[in-house]
Amino acid sequence: MTNRREFILKLVPLAGAAAVLPRVAMAEVPDLTESDPMAIAMGFVLDTTRANQAKYPKHTTEQFCGRCLHFTKPGADKARCDLFNKVVPHHGWCSGFSKRP
Ligand code: SF4
C-alpha cells in the first residue's frame, strides 16, 4: 500500500521531466529543407521568389511563410510550420500557403 509521502516522492521526478520535455522537444524541431520529400511534393522553397511559377501559377511573392496560417510564430525570422512540423524561414513558401487573416 502506498502512503501519501511515497506517492508524492514518485510524482516529483515525473513533474520535473514534464517541465523539461517540451523545451527539449522544441529545440529538436529540424529545419525544413528543399530536398525533403514532402517539401518537394509541396513545392517548398526557402525563398518565395524562387517558387516554380509555371507549376504554381497562383503563387505571388506576396505569399510567404510569415503571412501563412501554418507559421506558428508570426513576426519571427523563422518558426515551426504546423503543416510540416519543421522550422521554415519567414520568406519561404510552399503550395500549402494559406493567408493569415
Ligand atoms: S504551409 Fe505556410 S508556413 Fe508552412 S511552408 Fe508552406 S507557406 Fe510556409
Side-chain angles (χ1 to χ4, degrees):
M1 184 162 154
T2 305
N3 66 29
R4 185 173 174 209
R5 184 169 187 268
E6 288 172 336
F7 179 75
I8 290 171
L9 287 174
K10 286 179 183 172
L11 283 182
V12 168
L14 294 175
V20 170
L21 281 175
R23 278 181 251 151
V24 170
M26 283 300 289
E28 292 177 355
V29 175
D31 287 356
L32 181 63
T33 64
E34 292 180 1
S35 59
D36 179 295
M38 189 174 161
I40 292 170
M42 298 291 287
F44 173 76
V45 284
L46 292 168
D47 187 327
T48 190
T49 62
R50 292 182 35 249
N52 184 336
Q53 205 63 41
K55 191 170 181 181
Y56 303 104
K58 291 183 178 176
H59 166 265
T60 74
T61 54
E62 299 297 309
Q63 300 173 0
F64 50 86
C65 296
R67 287 187 170 169
C68 179
L69 273 176
H70 299 289
F71 194 72
T72 57
K73 199 173 177 186
D77 287 343
K78 61 182 188 174
R80 185 178 62 82
C81 164
D82 64 15
L83 191 70
F84 290 98
N85 198 26
K86 291 187 178 175
V87 173
V88 297
H90 180 266
H91 51 278
W93 179 85
C94 86
S95 60
F97 175 83
S98 182
K99 188 178 177 187
R100 183 178 295 279

